[in-house]
Amino acid sequence: MNGKKGSIEINIPSVTKAGAKQPPEAGKKSGQKMMMSFSFKTWIWNAWEFAKEDTNRVIFSLKVGLAVLLVSLLILFRAPYEVFGTNIIWSILTVAIMFEYTVGSTFNRGFNRALGSLLAGILAIGVAQLALCTGRVAEPFIIGISIFFVGTVTSFMKLLPSLVPYEYGFRVILFTYCLIIVSGYRMGNPMRTSMDRLYSIAIGGVVAVLVNVLVFPIWAGEQLHKELVSNFNSVADSLEECVGKYLQDDGSEHPEFSTTVMDEFPDEPAYRKCRATLNSSAKLESLANAAKWEPPHGRFRHFFYPWSEYVKVGAVLRYCAYEVMALHGVLHSEIQAPYNLRVTFQTEIQDATNQAAELVRRLGKDVSNMKRTLKSSLLKRLHSSAERLQRAIDMHSYLLTSNCDPPDTSKQTPRLSHAVSSTLYELPDQLADLDGDFFVKNLNQQIQNTPPGTLLQAAPDSYHELMRKQSRRLHSWPSREVDAFEDDGVSNMDLLPRMTTLDSTAALSLATFTSLLIEFVARLDHLVEAVDELSKLAKFKHEGL
């Protein structure tokens, strides 16, 4: 009471006692902070691992920062800024666009940038002078028509297959022409504007090229060389690992092919190595196109180096990797040959695999060392091992087609029961269009003529359940079989029969595996020819093996 009649004052403490529950909003905020801190730490760790994987990525980032800083000094210092004015900003834009990861890509982008800017500047100056001669009334119409014409032509030209490598150059022509002619129209001096911007673009291009070449250069040729050698080693390792797993005893004659096994495919080293080789086509072509723009450097000291041959060798190597992927598929197939049958040909399979992997590694080593060696002895041993495997399969072919198990006469009785069961199963479908009394009468007669033991095995469902399913079938659309309706609480997948595999079919899985291995050996001849062609054109050192 405050002394005033009818007034009451209620004091609510503002301090929360210890142990009191916090509002839910506070818990949510604290949880969000923890999640943000956790995700930030995870991102930092991933970035660190990404940088450790290839230190050239960090070097490239530092080089870009250095180039942009050098060009920005032209604006920060007063003297160059007074000479070029605001057009010097084009130097920073040129560095940001031109600077690529490798030296060859930078030269390629710089060529397109320089040629496109030069053509756009010349065209803009010519159109601007023509527009000035026509007078102030017709000048904007001429400029507008020229912009439409240039945009249409350049956009169509860059879509032509033969001009796709110069797509960036046509894009430079379009936006450089538009910016120069529009700004020149407003400033009243298109010649001065065009020259200032061309100077700024030239300065930015020179700075980008010098920094990329002189400061820890990253050559596309060396990257292409290392990538191809890595693919050779990956194919050899994948082949040995896949065959080694196939010849191991996993403890089960017929391992099941499930979704769990499918999910584990990408985690296997053999699968990841082969997949990286198969996906390297675009990378090899990109590096080869960039390497063509690079001057002689390092171990590649002569002009017109055959970089396109690296792409051809990579294509043949991918065809060999396809066979390894097929072997990997047989390894994880559901129909598997018994282990005792695989052991029968283990020596021949292992010998052919070792010889093939050794030859692939030898080819990769020759490319890596840039040496040309005679591989006739390796090829002879490989071919002889493949022939021994083929002869072993031919001599023991009866193991792949015959069934050695004695016939089981006890299986005849279940077959008879299965026939009765199928008769009862098909009976409701045959009488679907008849009335219910006729169906009941024939069904009772069929059940009476069936022996008691067979009845329990062939017709487990009761009469009322069959009638209920029959009624649901008649009133369903589209019409389905009686057993297609699932029972209460039971899924249809539990009632689906699984295919049984004969022993002869399982044995043919081994024939498939060996045929794929022999096909891999046959494709190695084309790989040897491709590497020899590369060594001739690249002038590798000739050495005997």
Side-chain angles (χ1 to χ4, degrees), residues 1-27:
M1 303 289 292
N2 281 351
K4 295 182 180 180
K5 190 175 182 179
S7 62
I8 299 175
E9 180 180 359
I10 301 176
N11 296 323
I12 300 176
S14 59
V15 181
T16 305
K17 293 183 180 180
K21 294 184 179 180
Q22 296 181 354
E25 290 77 5

PDB file of all heavy atoms in Angstrom, residues 1-27:
ATOM      1  N   MET A   1       0.845  -1.184   0.000  1.00  0.00           N
ATOM      2  CA  MET A   1       0.000   0.000   0.000  1.00  0.00           C
ATOM      3  C   MET A   1       0.881   1.235   0.000  1.00  0.00           C
ATOM      4  O   MET A   1       1.829   1.336   0.759  1.00  0.00           O
ATOM      5  CB  MET A   1      -0.902  -0.004   1.219  1.00  0.00           C
ATOM      6  CG  MET A   1      -1.789  -1.268   1.341  1.00  0.00           C
ATOM      7  SD  MET A   1      -3.103  -1.362   0.139  1.00  0.00           S
ATOM      8  CE  MET A   1      -4.127  -0.013   0.693  1.00  0.00           C
ATOM      9  N   ASN A   2       0.583   2.257  -0.814  1.00  0.00           N
ATOM     10  CA  ASN A   2       1.348   3.493  -0.916  1.00  0.00           C
ATOM     11  C   ASN A   2       0.779   4.599  -0.087  1.00  0.00           C
ATOM     12  O   ASN A   2       1.255   5.719  -0.165  1.00  0.00           O
ATOM     13  CB  ASN A   2       1.392   3.991  -2.362  1.00  0.00           C
ATOM     14  CG  ASN A   2       2.393   3.228  -3.160  1.00  0.00           C
ATOM     15  OD1 ASN A   2       3.138   2.466  -2.565  1.00  0.00           O
ATOM     16  ND2 ASN A   2       2.396   3.425  -4.444  1.00  0.00           N
ATOM     17  N   GLY A   3      -0.212   4.344   0.654  1.00  0.00           N
ATOM     18  CA  GLY A   3      -0.877   5.420   1.367  1.00  0.00           C
ATOM     19  C   GLY A   3      -2.086   5.905   0.640  1.00  0.00           C
ATOM     20  O   GLY A   3      -2.919   6.606   1.178  1.00  0.00           O
ATOM     21  N   LYS A   4      -2.190   5.584  -0.672  1.00  0.00           N
ATOM     22  CA  LYS A   4      -3.358   5.935  -1.451  1.00  0.00           C
ATOM     23  C   LYS A   4      -4.312   4.774  -1.418  1.00  0.00           C
ATOM     24  O   LYS A   4      -3.921   3.620  -1.532  1.00  0.00           O
ATOM     25  CB  LYS A   4      -2.986   6.278  -2.902  1.00  0.00           C
ATOM     26  CG  LYS A   4      -2.131   7.515  -3.014  1.00  0.00           C
ATOM     27  CD  LYS A   4      -1.851   7.831  -4.460  1.00  0.00           C
ATOM     28  CE  LYS A   4      -1.000   9.080  -4.586  1.00  0.00           C
ATOM     29  NZ  LYS A   4      -0.704   9.402  -5.982  1.00  0.00           N
ATOM     30  N   LYS A   5      -5.540   5.099  -1.285  1.00  0.00           N
ATOM     31  CA  LYS A   5      -6.558   4.082  -1.142  1.00  0.00           C
ATOM     32  C   LYS A   5      -6.790   3.395  -2.485  1.00  0.00           C
ATOM     33  O   LYS A   5      -6.977   4.032  -3.500  1.00  0.00           O
ATOM     34  CB  LYS A   5      -7.855   4.732  -0.647  1.00  0.00           C
ATOM     35  CG  LYS A   5      -8.900   3.687  -0.242  1.00  0.00           C
ATOM     36  CD  LYS A   5     -10.092   4.389   0.335  1.00  0.00           C
ATOM     37  CE  LYS A   5     -11.135   3.361   0.787  1.00  0.00           C
ATOM     38  NZ  LYS A   5     -12.330   4.003   1.378  1.00  0.00           N
ATOM     39  N   GLY A   6      -6.785   2.075  -2.423  1.00  0.00           N
ATOM     40  CA  GLY A   6      -7.056   1.277  -3.633  1.00  0.00           C
ATOM     41  C   GLY A   6      -5.858   1.057  -4.531  1.00  0.00           C
ATOM     42  O   GLY A   6      -6.010   0.491  -5.597  1.00  0.00           O
ATOM     43  N   SER A   7      -4.663   1.530  -4.171  1.00  0.00           N
ATOM     44  CA  SER A   7      -3.465   1.340  -5.012  1.00  0.00           C
ATOM     45  C   SER A   7      -2.544   0.318  -4.366  1.00  0.00           C
ATOM     46  O   SER A   7      -2.325   0.350  -3.158  1.00  0.00           O
ATOM     47  CB  SER A   7      -2.721   2.662  -5.213  1.00  0.00           C
ATOM     48  OG  SER A   7      -2.278   3.152  -3.967  1.00  0.00           O
ATOM     49  N   ILE A   8      -2.030  -0.557  -5.165  1.00  0.00           N
ATOM     50  CA  ILE A   8      -1.144  -1.620  -4.678  1.00  0.00           C
ATOM     51  C   ILE A   8       0.121  -1.600  -5.534  1.00  0.00           C
ATOM     52  O   ILE A   8       0.064  -1.532  -6.771  1.00  0.00           O
ATOM     53  CB  ILE A   8      -1.823  -2.998  -4.769  1.00  0.00           C
ATOM     54  CG1 ILE A   8      -3.094  -3.021  -3.913  1.00  0.00           C
ATOM     55  CG2 ILE A   8      -0.876  -4.103  -4.336  1.00  0.00           C
ATOM     56  CD1 ILE A   8      -3.871  -4.282  -4.032  1.00  0.00           C
ATOM     57  N   GLU A   9       1.259  -1.702  -4.941  1.00  0.00           N
ATOM     58  CA  GLU A   9       2.555  -1.720  -5.650  1.00  0.00           C
ATOM     59  C   GLU A   9       3.171  -3.101  -5.490  1.00  0.00           C
ATOM     60  O   GLU A   9       3.318  -3.601  -4.363  1.00  0.00           O
ATOM     61  CB  GLU A   9       3.501  -0.667  -5.083  1.00  0.00           C
ATOM     62  CG  GLU A   9       4.853  -0.646  -5.798  1.00  0.00           C
ATOM     63  CD  GLU A   9       5.767   0.408  -5.216  1.00  0.00           C
ATOM     64  OE1 GLU A   9       5.338   1.119  -4.290  1.00  0.00           O
ATOM     65  OE2 GLU A   9       6.904   0.524  -5.700  1.00  0.00           O
ATOM     66  N   ILE A  10       3.536  -3.701  -6.591  1.00  0.00           N
ATOM     67  CA  ILE A  10       4.125  -5.040  -6.605  1.00  0.00           C
ATOM     68  C   ILE A  10       5.555  -4.915  -7.121  1.00  0.00           C
ATOM     69  O   ILE A  10       5.785  -4.415  -8.216  1.00  0.00           O
ATOM     70  CB  ILE A  10       3.328  -5.993  -7.493  1.00  0.00           C
ATOM     71  CG1 ILE A  10       1.880  -6.105  -6.990  1.00  0.00           C
ATOM     72  CG2 ILE A  10       3.972  -7.372  -7.521  1.00  0.00           C
ATOM     73  CD1 ILE A  10       1.006  -6.939  -7.862  1.00  0.00           C
ATOM     74  N   ASN A  11       6.527  -5.339  -6.339  1.00  0.00           N
ATOM     75  CA  ASN A  11       7.942  -5.289  -6.695  1.00  0.00           C
ATOM     76  C   ASN A  11       8.386  -6.662  -7.200  1.00  0.00           C
ATOM     77  O   ASN A  11       8.288  -7.661  -6.475  1.00  0.00           O
ATOM     78  CB  ASN A  11       8.785  -4.882  -5.496  1.00  0.00           C
ATOM     79  CG  ASN A  11       8.448  -3.475  -5.034  1.00  0.00           C
ATOM     80  OD1 ASN A  11       8.171  -2.614  -5.870  1.00  0.00           O
ATOM     81  ND2 ASN A  11       8.452  -3.249  -3.726  1.00  0.00           N
ATOM     82  N   ILE A  12       8.870  -6.723  -8.444  1.00  0.00           N
ATOM     83  CA  ILE A  12       9.356  -7.973  -9.049  1.00  0.00           C
ATOM     84  C   ILE A  12      10.870  -7.900  -9.118  1.00  0.00           C
ATOM     85  O   ILE A  12      11.432  -6.968  -9.710  1.00  0.00           O
ATOM     86  CB  ILE A  12       8.772  -8.163 -10.453  1.00  0.00           C
ATOM     87  CG1 ILE A  12       7.242  -8.222 -10.390  1.00  0.00           C
ATOM     88  CG2 ILE A  12       9.318  -9.433 -11.102  1.00  0.00           C
ATOM     89  CD1 ILE A  12       6.594  -8.321 -11.727  1.00  0.00           C
ATOM     90  N   PRO A  13      11.561  -8.842  -8.510  1.00  0.00           N
ATOM     91  CA  PRO A  13      13.032  -8.783  -8.541  1.00  0.00           C
ATOM     92  C   PRO A  13      13.556  -9.029  -9.939  1.00  0.00           C
ATOM     93  O   PRO A  13      13.053  -9.881 -10.668  1.00  0.00           O
ATOM     94  CB  PRO A  13      13.445  -9.906  -7.582  1.00  0.00           C
ATOM     95  CG  PRO A  13      12.287 -10.842  -7.560  1.00  0.00           C
ATOM     96  CD  PRO A  13      11.071  -9.978  -7.737  1.00  0.00           C
ATOM     97  N   SER A  14      14.562  -8.254 -10.321  1.00  0.00           N
ATOM     98  CA  SER A  14      15.138  -8.342 -11.670  1.00  0.00           C
ATOM     99  C   SER A  14      16.328  -9.278 -11.741  1.00  0.00           C
ATOM    100  O   SER A  14      16.767  -9.643 -12.827  1.00  0.00           O
ATOM    101  CB  SER A  14      15.577  -6.956 -12.165  1.00  0.00           C
ATOM    102  OG  SER A  14      16.535  -6.423 -11.270  1.00  0.00           O
ATOM    103  N   VAL A  15      16.861  -9.650 -10.623  1.00  0.00           N
ATOM    104  CA  VAL A  15      18.040 -10.511 -10.613  1.00  0.00           C
ATOM    105  C   VAL A  15      17.588 -11.953 -10.571  1.00  0.00           C
ATOM    106  O   VAL A  15      16.761 -12.339  -9.737  1.00  0.00           O
ATOM    107  CB  VAL A  15      18.931 -10.205  -9.388  1.00  0.00           C
ATOM    108  CG1 VAL A  15      20.166 -11.107  -9.409  1.00  0.00           C
ATOM    109  CG2 VAL A  15      19.326  -8.741  -9.386  1.00  0.00           C
ATOM    110  N   THR A  16      18.092 -12.773 -11.459  1.00  0.00           N
ATOM    111  CA  THR A  16      17.733 -14.193 -11.526  1.00  0.00           C
ATOM    112  C   THR A  16      18.519 -14.954 -10.486  1.00  0.00           C
ATOM    113  O   THR A  16      19.736 -14.779 -10.338  1.00  0.00           O
ATOM    114  CB  THR A  16      18.040 -14.749 -12.922  1.00  0.00           C
ATOM    115  OG1 THR A  16      17.368 -13.948 -13.883  1.00  0.00           O
ATOM    116  CG2 THR A  16      17.561 -16.192 -13.040  1.00  0.00           C
ATOM    117  N   LYS A  17      17.827 -15.780  -9.744  1.00  0.00           N
ATOM    118  CA  LYS A  17      18.490 -16.558  -8.702  1.00  0.00           C
ATOM    119  C   LYS A  17      19.346 -17.640  -9.342  1.00  0.00           C
ATOM    120  O   LYS A  17      19.109 -18.100 -10.444  1.00  0.00           O
ATOM    121  CB  LYS A  17      17.443 -17.206  -7.801  1.00  0.00           C
ATOM    122  CG  LYS A  17      16.666 -16.179  -6.987  1.00  0.00           C
ATOM    123  CD  LYS A  17      15.698 -16.890  -6.079  1.00  0.00           C
ATOM    124  CE  LYS A  17      14.902 -15.886  -5.235  1.00  0.00           C
ATOM    125  NZ  LYS A  17      13.955 -16.557  -4.332  1.00  0.00           N
ATOM    126  N   ALA A  18      20.324 -18.073  -8.545  1.00  0.00           N
ATOM    127  CA  ALA A  18      21.192 -19.141  -9.028  1.00  0.00           C
ATOM    128  C   ALA A  18      20.412 -20.425  -9.141  1.00  0.00           C
ATOM    129  O   ALA A  18      19.654 -20.795  -8.267  1.00  0.00           O
ATOM    130  CB  ALA A  18      22.386 -19.329  -8.076  1.00  0.00           C
ATOM    131  N   GLY A  19      20.642 -21.131 -10.203  1.00  0.00           N
ATOM    132  CA  GLY A  19      19.954 -22.393 -10.417  1.00  0.00           C
ATOM    133  C   GLY A  19      18.662 -22.249 -11.173  1.00  0.00           C
ATOM    134  O   GLY A  19      18.012 -23.241 -11.489  1.00  0.00           O
ATOM    135  N   ALA A  20      18.184 -20.989 -11.424  1.00  0.00           N
ATOM    136  CA  ALA A  20      16.947 -20.799 -12.166  1.00  0.00           C
ATOM    137  C   ALA A  20      17.154 -21.140 -13.631  1.00  0.00           C
ATOM    138  O   ALA A  20      18.240 -20.973 -14.190  1.00  0.00           O
ATOM    139  CB  ALA A  20      16.469 -19.352 -12.031  1.00  0.00           C
ATOM    140  N   LYS A  21      16.102 -21.605 -14.286  1.00  0.00           N
ATOM    141  CA  LYS A  21      16.178 -21.986 -15.694  1.00  0.00           C
ATOM    142  C   LYS A  21      16.260 -20.765 -16.590  1.00  0.00           C
ATOM    143  O   LYS A  21      15.556 -19.784 -16.371  1.00  0.00           O
ATOM    144  CB  LYS A  21      14.955 -22.826 -16.075  1.00  0.00           C
ATOM    145  CG  LYS A  21      14.911 -24.169 -15.364  1.00  0.00           C
ATOM    146  CD  LYS A  21      13.729 -24.979 -15.862  1.00  0.00           C
ATOM    147  CE  LYS A  21      13.676 -26.337 -15.198  1.00  0.00           C
ATOM    148  NZ  LYS A  21      12.527 -27.130 -15.685  1.00  0.00           N
ATOM    149  N   GLN A  22      17.125 -20.835 -17.624  1.00  0.00           N
ATOM    150  CA  GLN A  22      17.236 -19.746 -18.585  1.00  0.00           C
ATOM    151  C   GLN A  22      16.116 -19.870 -19.613  1.00  0.00           C
ATOM    152  O   GLN A  22      15.615 -20.960 -19.874  1.00  0.00           O
ATOM    153  CB  GLN A  22      18.593 -19.799 -19.301  1.00  0.00           C
ATOM    154  CG  GLN A  22      19.767 -19.578 -18.363  1.00  0.00           C
ATOM    155  CD  GLN A  22      21.072 -19.613 -19.114  1.00  0.00           C
ATOM    156  OE1 GLN A  22      21.090 -19.909 -20.295  1.00  0.00           O
ATOM    157  NE2 GLN A  22      22.151 -19.302 -18.426  1.00  0.00           N
ATOM    158  N   PRO A  23      15.706 -18.762 -20.185  1.00  0.00           N
ATOM    159  CA  PRO A  23      14.678 -18.833 -21.231  1.00  0.00           C
ATOM    160  C   PRO A  23      15.194 -19.615 -22.419  1.00  0.00           C
ATOM    161  O   PRO A  23      16.401 -19.722 -22.658  1.00  0.00           O
ATOM    162  CB  PRO A  23      14.429 -17.357 -21.581  1.00  0.00           C
ATOM    163  CG  PRO A  23      15.660 -16.651 -21.140  1.00  0.00           C
ATOM    164  CD  PRO A  23      16.148 -17.384 -19.928  1.00  0.00           C
ATOM    165  N   PRO A  24      14.291 -20.195 -23.212  1.00  0.00           N
ATOM    166  CA  PRO A  24      14.730 -21.002 -24.363  1.00  0.00           C
ATOM    167  C   PRO A  24      15.509 -20.205 -25.399  1.00  0.00           C
ATOM    168  O   PRO A  24      16.332 -20.745 -26.116  1.00  0.00           O
ATOM    169  CB  PRO A  24      13.408 -21.541 -24.924  1.00  0.00           C
ATOM    170  CG  PRO A  24      12.348 -20.614 -24.412  1.00  0.00           C
ATOM    171  CD  PRO A  24      12.826 -20.148 -23.073  1.00  0.00           C
ATOM    172  N   GLU A  25      15.247 -18.896 -25.507  1.00  0.00           N
ATOM    173  CA  GLU A  25      15.974 -18.097 -26.503  1.00  0.00           C
ATOM    174  C   GLU A  25      17.463 -18.063 -26.192  1.00  0.00           C
ATOM    175  O   GLU A  25      18.310 -18.094 -27.085  1.00  0.00           O
ATOM    176  CB  GLU A  25      15.408 -16.673 -26.554  1.00  0.00           C
ATOM    177  CG  GLU A  25      14.006 -16.574 -27.148  1.00  0.00           C
ATOM    178  CD  GLU A  25      12.934 -17.007 -26.173  1.00  0.00           C
ATOM    179  OE1 GLU A  25      13.280 -17.283 -25.021  1.00  0.00           O
ATOM    180  OE2 GLU A  25      11.748 -17.071 -26.587  1.00  0.00           O
ATOM    181  N   ALA A  26      17.790 -18.005 -24.887  1.00  0.00           N
ATOM    182  CA  ALA A  26      19.207 -17.970 -24.518  1.00  0.00           C
ATOM    183  C   ALA A  26      19.906 -19.269 -24.892  1.00  0.00           C
ATOM    184  O   ALA A  26      21.041 -19.296 -25.366  1.00  0.00           O
ATOM    185  CB  ALA A  26      19.343 -17.707 -23.017  1.00  0.00           C
ATOM    186  N   GLY A  27      19.213 -20.412 -24.687  1.00  0.00           N
ATOM    187  CA  GLY A  27      19.798 -21.692 -25.079  1.00  0.00           C
ATOM    188  C   GLY A  27      20.005 -21.788 -26.571  1.00  0.00           C
ATOM    189  O   GLY A  27      21.003 -22.336 -27.049  1.00  0.00           O
TER     190      GLY A  27
END
